[in-house]
Amino acid sequence: MTGTHADKFEVVGHNERRVDGTALVTGAPVFVDDAPAPPRLLHLALLTSPHAHARIRSIDTTQAEALEGVALVLTHANTPSRRYTTAGQGHPEPSPHDARMFDTKVRFVGDRVAAVAADSVARAREAAQLIEVDYEVLDPVLSIDAALADGAPVVHDQGCDDAWDAARNLAAYSEAVAGDVDAALAEADVTVDLTVETHYAQHVPIETHAARAELDPHGRLVITSSTQVPFHARRIVAYVLDVPVHRIRVVKPRLGGGFGVKQEVLIEDLVALTTLRTGRPSSLVYTRAEEFASARTRHPMRLRVRLGAGHDGVLTAIDLDVLSNTGAYGTHSLTVLSNVGSKTLPLYNTAPNVRFVGRAVYTNLPVGGAYRGYGATQGQYALEVAIDQLAERLHLDALELRNRNHIRSGGTSPIFRELGEGREGVEQVITSCELARCIEVGAERIGWAHKRGARRRDGSWVHGVGMSIHMQGSGIPMIDMGAASIKLNDDGSVNLLVGATDLGTGSDTVLGQIAAEVLGIPLSKVLVTSSDTDLTPFDVGAYASSTTYVSGTAVQRAANDVATQIRAVAAAILRVDPGDLTLGSERVSTDDGRSVSLAEVALRSLYGVDQHQIAATASAVLDTSPPPFLASFAEVAVDLDTGRIRVVDWVAAADCGTAIHPRLAEGQVEGALANGIGYALVEDLAIDDAGRTRATTLGRYKIVGALDLPRLQVVLVDSYEPTGPMGAKSIAEIAINAPLPSIANAVYDATGVLLTESPFTAERVWRALQATAVR
Amino acid sequence: MRIAFQLNGHSATPEIVPGETLMEVLRRTGTTSVKDGCSRGDCGSCAVLLDGRAVTACMLFAAQVDGHEVTTAEGLADGEGLHPLQRALLDAGGVQCGFCTPGVLMAALDLLARDPDPSDAAVRLAIEGNLCRCTGYVKIVDGVRDAAAVLRESDQPEPQDAQPEPQDAQPEPQDAQPEPQDAAEASAPRPGAPR
């Protein structure tokens, strides 16, 4: 086997047993709702709006309050009215402050109307149904076009200062321009003009949102929450309830999946206020139906992409125009929108003329939010289908066109500077890019050369292959901050304290591996504590594919500092220069073979001479965000009789820099592909003409099961990112962007039918087949 | 009312309210491996073994297990040592967030009791009622098949003179070829199994 960059590491690059693995496989009580019910626990139930758009004339809670066992009923009449955003983003949040705990107006089916706290879930639900609400039903806004129509009802007509233009239902606007796109398109030898439209889908973590609150013996509020953003949750709850931050502690135990939907402060304010008002512990766990009705979604979008190229197959212009439906509230409306461009357009940096214009509109529909991929999913669908169309017009193989245009190491794009997280971005030069290798490896594995264009028939099924290429980021440059603390214990073990949030990815393990590598100790000697606002240093949380790169850099820095302190003590013992010492195998060694153990170093520092705690805290905020890259190849079969698409084979070749834990990294790709395949083919909130989702159960909202997928093949190509910890960049999100374009391009290869509207349900494909008379 | 059943080899006699599901009673009494992902039999996170067969505990009234044997993930580990299936699933990367994992373990144990050497397709069929949003299932399938290999090896009778094993339980080279997807013929769906 040829050497790889990861060969030089002892712990990094190895498939270590997860630090939380035993607890998870033995069913230990490690999730929010697993903790034993404390005495006098109150359970919350929600009353939500049955109307897409209505004003609340009055609420009568007397019957509910009179029910035995009911402790508290919360409505707009007795709760704080501060406007805020549920988006768990850094301060100040770039999302409009357009929400209240409870408002006098409801803006989508599932919007909060009231909450009841009672001594059992059943009693709380019973009481919620006894609340009488008099609604003045308003005309709803149920589509992007309706939102933009002259005289459209205004979703936020009660003052919402930081939306782009609330009176015109515009939550956010974003644009970036380089060069002269119109002139370049006019002069281009070949152009493509394509419009695609995406649909409502949900994250569906198997653990729904769950939060508990209680007062500790000193009267401080402790919130245990299934959150991806404990520090943002603390800050936002403090703001909404007007309680000082120092009175609140937020703890995130194990998390049963997040995928972005737990980057929202959706329920923590309710348990917090209930416990502050009653002095009793309280709990709220969304039912699956509540999760579907009231949690967040992937923003549906309409995207028009125009490409211009010369006969030489080099792009001259890319124009991307986006309309995003943010639903009733503008959470992540601006930043998801800007990411549609910023995580998409740099892929093809040969085009000097690039333009991005995006608008996000309010509607009376479910609320968009952060969802793995974060806008790149929609943008790369539009762009990658358009690129295939361009290849056809140029009579070029789809791989060849991409190879002539995709970004490479040493390259840059004006978009990096022009388009950031809802503001200007940061100039960046790509310092690692194995995309060409990813394309090569993937093409070979899928059998591109003999399958593309072959249209193999198997009864009524016809096969096709399609591919697409992808990028994401590794955290948000100059914004995302992570910090880590490490201290050395008597026996040479260390405590690693990180604010970073393991949402089920295994990041506690990955961060522990980085510390272990630097300190020359096994992972079992790194005791990882994460995500507790009292105990761990700050971290923005788990989003934007930031944890390995940003938080991992903080861990590496803290470990380097601790290693220096260890060497200083060891040097005193061994009477050598600290610079001559190396750490490894739990020892500190000289070149000539003398050594002391870390335990000896620790004991001396704690109990012996010049006593002190060997410890360090370090932070990381990085001025770059190296994109991971991925080439995705799908073989599908399309049933010409029914329109059903079957995924036959899938190869994803990824460049994530050093894979700190290769198996976990592969798992991120496999899981993201599975989620994306479901999104492309079957997942759909299926909103009816009254704005209600018909997906109220996992029976009606299909997520893929083991029988729906082939054995997904993942290849991690050898790569090393010089700015990353041990050469790492991110991997968590990127692959979810692949299925929409890879499948659409494969279906086009099989049938000549261009799928421009998702999801690609059998009915939709069948209708398209009929329209083009493919037999 | 009070019911009596065997829970992980011990006698359990919880007081229950009529209409309570087995999932509710188990979670309320501290068997927290049984997860609630949907409360209606769709996701498989609450799967337990009832007399050796995997069932979704949210779809059973607690009263229905009176006099029966129930096994959960808490009952697998032997002291400090993990069950080979738990270890294999972990080492294969079949555990990400871990919320669906206890249910997957139950479905897999049910399968392995009937089929000590399941194909990729047979494992997929067995766990098709266990929804996992994290993994893409590849590594769960690998973990179950790895466990099967370990369990077969440990079940081998002491090598008598009878027939020398031609190959001593190969450590499952994962053949790159995707298994045939048509799993329906691998084995019949089981009544009462997670959907």
Side-chain angles (χ1 to χ4, degrees):
Chain A
M1 186 178 155
T2 54
T4 67
H5 282 100
D7 287 349
K8 60 184 176 228
F9 301 120
E10 298 286 332
V11 185
V12 161
H14 295 261
N15 294 315
E16 298 281 340
R17 176 77 58 89
R18 287 173 58 134
V19 296
D20 52 357
T22 299
L24 293 175
V25 294
T26 54
V30 291
F31 295 92
V32 172
D33 196 45
D34 291 345
R40 305 182 70 234
L41 178 68
L42 289 171
H43 299 267
L44 273 76
L46 296 176
L47 179 69
T48 59
S49 172
H51 303 293
H53 199 192
R55 233 175 275 285
I56 296 173
R57 286 202 195 97
S58 65
I59 299 186
D60 184 352
T61 60
T62 40
Q63 282 191 66
E65 282 164 345
L67 198 66
E68 195 192 329
V70 171
L72 184 67
V73 179
L74 297 172
T75 69
H76 69 80
N78 63 353
T79 51
S81 60
R82 268 189 173 177
R83 289 184 197 283
Y84 70 108
T85 176
T86 58
Q89 300 176 296
H91 170 77
E93 306 92 357
S95 297
H97 287 206
D98 55 12
R100 286 174 161 157
M101 268 192 91
F102 295 93
D103 210 338
T104 52
K105 191 176 170 185
V106 287
R107 298 180 179 84
F108 73 105
V109 177
D111 209 353
R112 280 186 193 173
V113 174
V116 178
D119 56 15
S120 75
V121 175
R123 190 58 55 89
R125 286 184 189 152
E126 184 186 350
Q129 294 311 312
L130 295 174
I131 297 171
E132 288 179 19
V133 187
D134 182 17
Y135 293 101
E136 176 195 353
V137 177
L138 306 171
D139 283 341
V141 175
L142 295 177
S143 71
I144 288 174
D145 294 324
L148 294 173
D150 286 338
V154 178
V155 177
H156 288 274
D157 56 350
Q158 297 171 310
C160 168
D161 297 338
D162 45 3
W164 180 259
D165 187 351
R168 289 168 56 218
N169 287 327
L170 283 174
Y173 178 84
S174 175
E175 68 170 11
V177 181
D180 187 341
V181 167
D182 291 322
L185 284 172
E187 289 164 16
D189 295 331
V190 181
T191 59
V192 165
D193 184 344
L194 177 77
T195 298
V196 301
E197 194 147 352
T198 66
H199 67 290
Y200 265 114
Q202 224 182 31
H203 313 64
V204 196
I206 307 299
E207 177 202 39
T208 58
H209 284 77
R212 268 200 204 173
E214 57 191 314
L215 296 176
D216 77 3
H218 313 290
R220 287 179 73 232
L221 183 68
V222 181
I223 302 170
T224 310
S225 173
S226 64
T227 179
Q228 294 173 226
V229 286
F231 286 88
H232 295 338
R234 179 179 67 168
R235 190 190 77 244
I236 290 170
V237 168
Y239 176 79
V240 173
L241 302 183
D242 200 15
V243 172
V245 164
H246 72 258
R247 274 201 69 196
I248 303 175
R249 173 184 184 184
V250 175
V251 179
K252 184 235 49 142
R254 293 297 91 189
L255 195 58
F259 316 108
V261 78
K262 292 173 181 172
Q263 197 198 334
E264 294 277 326
V265 184
L266 280 187
I267 59 173
E268 290 90 342
D269 58 321
L270 293 173
V271 291
L273 187 58
T274 298
T275 293
L276 288 173
R277 288 262 169 96
T278 63
R280 295 170 63 176
S282 65
S283 162
L284 176 56
V285 181
Y286 267 172
T287 63
R288 182 57 61 186
E290 286 169 336
E291 184 81 20
F292 276 122
S294 301
R296 300 306 183 225
T297 66
R298 189 186 294 287
H299 294 83
M301 293 187 192
R302 183 186 301 154
L303 309 97
R304 181 185 184 195
V305 60
R306 291 190 293 167
L307 303 177
H311 288 308
D312 59 356
V314 176
L315 284 164
T316 54
I318 309 177
D319 188 22
L320 185 56
D321 190 282
V322 179
L323 280 168
S324 172
N325 173 7
T326 193
Y329 297 97
T331 64
H332 299 271
S333 56
L334 174 61
T335 41
V336 164
L337 183 65
S338 56
N339 270 268
V340 175
S342 67
K343 296 289 188 291
T344 295
L345 298 169
L347 258 178
Y348 297 106
N349 67 338
T350 48
N353 306 292
V354 186
R355 181 168 60 198
F356 174 79
V357 177
R359 289 172 288 169
V361 304
Y362 284 121
T363 60
N364 294 115
L365 290 169
V367 183
Y371 193 150
R372 194 179 203 176
Y374 206 78
T377 311
Q378 296 94 323
Q380 290 171 15
Y381 168 40
L383 181 64
E384 283 300 283
V385 171
I387 288 285
D388 254 38
Q389 294 300 303
L390 182 65
E392 184 180 67
R393 279 172 215 191
L394 287 164
H395 308 291
L396 276 177
D397 182 73
L399 306 185
E400 180 57 29
L401 178 61
R402 287 179 174 85
N403 278 329
R404 288 187 195 176
N405 291 282
H406 74 70
I407 197 164
R408 285 175 159 74
S409 189
T412 185
S413 162
I415 292 298
F416 287 132
R417 183 185 64 244
E418 298 295 329
L419 202 52
E421 286 286 306
R423 61 185 202 190
E424 278 199 357
V426 175
E427 217 156 320
Q428 278 194 72
V429 173
I430 299 298
T431 38
S432 62
C433 179
E434 297 296 332
L435 190 48
R437 177 80 184 128
C438 291
I439 293 172
E440 185 187 339
V441 169
E444 194 190 321
R445 277 253 190 142
I446 201 83
W448 182 265
H450 66 271
K451 285 181 179 165
R452 178 74 163 180
R455 295 198 178 180
R456 182 167 73 81
R457 284 294 289 259
D458 179 9
S460 62
W461 295 84
V462 55
H463 288 243
V465 290
M467 64 88 60
S468 50
I469 61 173
H470 304 278
M471 62 175 282
Q472 199 80 35
S474 299
I476 310 170
M478 302 305 283
I479 291 180
D480 280 350
M481 198 278 268
S485 298
I486 297 176
K487 69 183 174 76
L488 183 68
N489 297 317
D490 312 30
D491 62 349
S493 67
V494 298
N495 290 102
L496 169 63
L497 309 176
V498 288
T501 307
D502 190 334
L503 66 160
T505 55
S507 70
D508 282 357
T509 302
V510 164
L511 297 178
Q513 285 178 274
I514 293 171
E517 184 70 43
V518 172
L519 296 171
I521 59 180
L523 180 59
S524 60
K525 290 290 187 71
V526 181
L527 313 168
V528 185
T529 301
S530 61
S531 317
D532 179 331
T533 59
D534 265 16
L535 301 182
T536 62
F538 178 85
D539 193 290
V540 289
Y543 57 87
S545 292
S546 61
T547 302
T548 299
Y549 185 71
V550 178
S551 312
T553 297
V555 170
Q556 187 181 25
R557 289 175 181 174
N560 281 334
D561 191 339
V562 165
T564 301
Q565 297 175 37
I566 288 171
R567 273 193 288 268
V569 174
I573 300 172
L574 294 167
R575 298 178 188 285
V576 293
D577 190 280
D580 296 335
L581 293 171
T582 52
L583 275 64
S585 304
E586 302 184 67
R587 302 190 72 79
V588 190
S589 310
T590 64
D591 285 345
D592 57 9
R594 293 183 301 135
S595 69
V596 289
S597 70
L598 286 191
E600 290 170 84
V601 169
L603 285 170
R604 178 183 168 102
S605 73
L606 293 170
Y607 301 105
V609 187
D610 185 22
Q611 286 160 265
H612 67 289
Q613 170 69 61
I614 291 179
T617 295
S619 305
V621 54
L622 296 151
D623 60 6
T624 186
S625 173
F629 296 98
L630 183 139
S632 157
F633 292 81
E635 178 178 353
V636 305
V638 183
D639 184 356
L640 298 180
D641 288 345
T642 65
R644 197 179 144 214
I645 297 171
R646 187 160 57 89
V647 175
V648 176
D649 195 6
W650 206 292
V651 180
D655 162 11
C656 62
T658 300
I660 304 287
H661 190 299
R663 200 157 283 150
L664 287 175
E666 289 165 7
Q668 285 301 304
V669 178
E670 289 159 6
L673 285 177
N675 189 336
I677 289 169
Y679 170 57
L681 296 182
V682 287
E683 294 182 27
D684 191 356
L685 282 186
I687 313 283
D688 71 12
D689 55 13
R692 293 173 301 221
T693 173
R694 282 178 287 215
T696 53
T697 68
L698 285 168
R700 286 178 170 241
Y701 187 97
K702 163 77 176 165
I703 71 172
V704 294
L707 288 178
D708 300 315
L709 298 168
R711 187 182 174 85
L712 305 169
Q713 303 187 61
V714 175
V715 183
L716 303 177
V717 304
D718 187 36
S719 171
Y720 191 90
E721 168 54 44
T723 67
M726 317 282 170
K729 44 189 180 177
S730 87
I731 191 64
E733 294 183 89
I734 185 168
I736 203 168
N737 307 327
L740 275 178
S742 282
I743 292 174
N745 289 338
V747 169
Y748 187 81
D749 182 55
T751 65
V753 163
L754 191 59
L755 295 173
T756 56
E757 197 178 339
S758 64
F760 310 145
T761 57
E763 178 180 345
R764 183 165 284 143
V765 174
W766 182 83
R767 287 186 190 285
L769 288 166
Q770 298 306 303
T772 50
V774 177
R775 292 312 308 163
Chain B
M1 62 187 277
R2 189 171 289 281
I3 59 170
F5 62 102
Q6 289 288 306
L7 176 61
N8 296 324
H10 301 284
S11 155
T13 56
E15 188 71 34
I16 67 162
V17 179
E20 262 191 306
T21 66
L22 178 61
M23 177 185 76
E24 289 167 333
V25 170
L26 288 173
R27 285 193 59 77
R28 179 165 63 70
T29 55
T31 304
T32 51
S33 74
V34 178
K35 306 297 185 197
D36 180 5
C38 70
S39 300
R40 43 161 285 143
D42 288 330
C43 76
S45 303
C46 65
V48 301
L49 293 183
L50 177 62
D51 301 330
R53 304 309 302 271
V55 295
T56 46
C58 71
M59 299 306 286
L60 282 177
F61 291 119
Q64 287 175 276
V65 307
D66 188 50
H68 292 268
E69 262 182 53
V70 173
T71 305
T72 69
E74 285 89 345
L76 300 188
D78 178 15
E80 288 287 291
L82 296 178
H83 185 280
L85 177 61
Q86 292 171 311
R87 195 176 306 122
L89 202 65
L90 259 185
D91 290 344
V95 179
Q96 280 192 31
C97 83
F99 199 80
C100 75
T101 300
V104 169
L105 291 169
M106 295 301 116
L109 276 180
D110 180 339
L111 170 71
L112 294 176
R114 291 175 289 113
D115 181 354
D117 188 9
S119 66
D120 186 300
V123 176
R124 285 176 184 270
L125 183 65
I127 62 165
E128 67 120 7
N130 300 86
L131 294 178
C132 169
R133 194 58 154 169
C134 295
T135 64
Y137 303 102
V138 174
K139 290 173 167 43
I140 294 177
V141 173
D142 287 352
V144 174
R145 297 188 70 193
D146 291 349
V150 171
L151 289 167
R152 282 198 306 277
E153 197 163 4
S154 63
D155 282 354
Q156 299 280 322
E158 287 302 309
Q160 313 272 311
D161 50 346
Q163 48 214 110
E165 290 295 314
Q167 78 268 32
D168 36 14
Q170 290 184 350
E172 286 291 298
Q174 290 302 335
D175 39 349
Q177 285 299 332
E179 295 276 337
Q181 270 304 286
D182 208 359
E185 60 200 20
S187 70
R190 295 155 286 124
R195 188 200 59 81

mmCIF file of all heavy atoms in Angstrom, chain A residues 86-99:
data_model
loop_
_atom_site.group_PDB
_atom_site.id
_atom_site.type_symbol
_atom_site.label_atom_id
_atom_site.label_comp_id
_atom_site.label_asym_id
_atom_site.label_seq_id
_atom_site.Cartn_x
_atom_site.Cartn_y
_atom_site.Cartn_z
ATOM 1 N N THR A 86 -35.399 32.611 16.356
ATOM 2 C CA THR A 86 -35.090 31.287 16.910
ATOM 3 C C THR A 86 -33.809 30.720 16.317
ATOM 4 O O THR A 86 -33.347 29.665 16.744
ATOM 5 C CB THR A 86 -36.238 30.302 16.633
ATOM 6 O OG1 THR A 86 -36.449 30.219 15.221
ATOM 7 C CG2 THR A 86 -37.519 30.744 17.334
ATOM 8 N N ALA A 87 -33.253 31.407 15.314
ATOM 9 C CA ALA A 87 -32.028 30.914 14.679
ATOM 10 C C ALA A 87 -30.872 30.961 15.678
ATOM 11 O O ALA A 87 -30.538 32.027 16.191
ATOM 12 C CB ALA A 87 -31.698 31.754 13.450
ATOM 13 N N GLY A 88 -30.261 29.813 15.923
ATOM 14 C CA GLY A 88 -29.158 29.750 16.878
ATOM 15 C C GLY A 88 -27.862 30.146 16.210
ATOM 16 O O GLY A 88 -27.010 29.321 15.912
ATOM 17 N N GLN A 89 -27.719 31.440 15.969
ATOM 18 C CA GLN A 89 -26.539 31.958 15.280
ATOM 19 C C GLN A 89 -25.757 32.862 16.220
ATOM 20 O O GLN A 89 -26.221 33.212 17.294
ATOM 21 C CB GLN A 89 -26.989 32.757 14.040
ATOM 22 C CG GLN A 89 -27.773 31.935 13.043
ATOM 23 C CD GLN A 89 -28.289 32.768 11.883
ATOM 24 O OE1 GLN A 89 -29.107 33.655 12.066
ATOM 25 N NE2 GLN A 89 -27.816 32.457 10.686
ATOM 26 N N GLY A 90 -24.571 33.284 15.772
ATOM 27 C CA GLY A 90 -23.738 34.153 16.575
ATOM 28 C C GLY A 90 -24.394 35.509 16.799
ATOM 29 O O GLY A 90 -25.343 35.896 16.113
ATOM 30 N N HIS A 91 -23.854 36.232 17.759
ATOM 31 C CA HIS A 91 -24.393 37.538 18.119
ATOM 32 C C HIS A 91 -23.699 38.638 17.328
ATOM 33 O O HIS A 91 -22.477 38.653 17.277
ATOM 34 C CB HIS A 91 -24.179 37.778 19.615
ATOM 35 C CG HIS A 91 -24.476 39.170 20.054
ATOM 36 N ND1 HIS A 91 -25.752 39.634 20.236
ATOM 37 C CD2 HIS A 91 -23.647 40.213 20.326
ATOM 38 C CE1 HIS A 91 -25.696 40.900 20.608
ATOM 39 N NE2 HIS A 91 -24.456 41.275 20.673
ATOM 40 N N PRO A 92 -24.415 39.588 16.702
ATOM 41 C CA PRO A 92 -25.879 39.627 16.579
ATOM 42 C C PRO A 92 -26.325 38.717 15.440
ATOM 43 O O PRO A 92 -25.676 38.660 14.400
ATOM 44 C CB PRO A 92 -26.148 41.093 16.249
ATOM 45 C CG PRO A 92 -24.907 41.555 15.539
ATOM 46 C CD PRO A 92 -23.756 40.761 16.095
ATOM 47 N N GLU A 93 -27.434 38.032 15.635
ATOM 48 C CA GLU A 93 -27.872 37.073 14.629
ATOM 49 C C GLU A 93 -28.204 37.781 13.319
ATOM 50 O O GLU A 93 -28.878 38.802 13.328
ATOM 51 C CB GLU A 93 -29.120 36.314 15.102
ATOM 52 C CG GLU A 93 -28.986 35.648 16.449
ATOM 53 C CD GLU A 93 -29.440 36.541 17.595
ATOM 54 O OE1 GLU A 93 -29.796 37.699 17.332
ATOM 55 O OE2 GLU A 93 -29.442 36.068 18.744
ATOM 56 N N PRO A 94 -27.743 37.237 12.198
ATOM 57 C CA PRO A 94 -28.064 37.845 10.907
ATOM 58 C C PRO A 94 -29.472 37.520 10.408
ATOM 59 O O PRO A 94 -29.798 37.829 9.260
ATOM 60 C CB PRO A 94 -26.991 37.262 9.974
ATOM 61 C CG PRO A 94 -26.550 35.998 10.613
ATOM 62 C CD PRO A 94 -26.740 36.164 12.087
ATOM 63 N N SER A 95 -30.293 36.891 11.231
ATOM 64 C CA SER A 95 -31.686 36.626 10.856
ATOM 65 C C SER A 95 -32.578 37.703 11.464
ATOM 66 O O SER A 95 -32.300 38.187 12.567
ATOM 67 C CB SER A 95 -32.128 35.254 11.381
ATOM 68 O OG SER A 95 -31.365 34.232 10.805
ATOM 69 N N PRO A 96 -33.653 38.076 10.761
ATOM 70 C CA PRO A 96 -34.514 39.127 11.303
ATOM 71 C C PRO A 96 -35.176 38.728 12.632
ATOM 72 O O PRO A 96 -35.537 37.573 12.829
ATOM 73 C CB PRO A 96 -35.569 39.323 10.205
ATOM 74 C CG PRO A 96 -35.427 38.191 9.267
ATOM 75 C CD PRO A 96 -34.055 37.639 9.424
ATOM 76 N N HIS A 97 -35.289 39.703 13.501
ATOM 77 C CA HIS A 97 -35.981 39.477 14.783
ATOM 78 C C HIS A 97 -37.468 39.677 14.548
ATOM 79 O O HIS A 97 -37.999 40.771 14.735
ATOM 80 C CB HIS A 97 -35.434 40.426 15.844
ATOM 81 C CG HIS A 97 -34.057 40.051 16.307
ATOM 82 N ND1 HIS A 97 -33.563 40.375 17.531
ATOM 83 C CD2 HIS A 97 -33.085 39.324 15.713
ATOM 84 C CE1 HIS A 97 -32.325 39.892 17.675
ATOM 85 N NE2 HIS A 97 -32.019 39.246 16.567
ATOM 86 N N ASP A 98 -38.113 38.617 14.105
ATOM 87 C CA ASP A 98 -39.506 38.726 13.682
ATOM 88 C C ASP A 98 -40.443 37.817 14.465
ATOM 89 O O ASP A 98 -41.605 37.692 14.139
ATOM 90 C CB ASP A 98 -39.615 38.429 12.176
ATOM 91 C CG ASP A 98 -39.008 37.084 11.795
ATOM 92 O OD1 ASP A 98 -38.709 36.287 12.707
ATOM 93 O OD2 ASP A 98 -38.820 36.844 10.590
ATOM 94 N N ALA A 99 -39.929 37.156 15.505
ATOM 95 C CA ALA A 99 -40.755 36.207 16.260
ATOM 96 C C ALA A 99 -40.908 36.677 17.705
ATOM 97 O O ALA A 99 -40.067 37.401 18.234
ATOM 98 C CB ALA A 99 -40.121 34.826 16.234
#
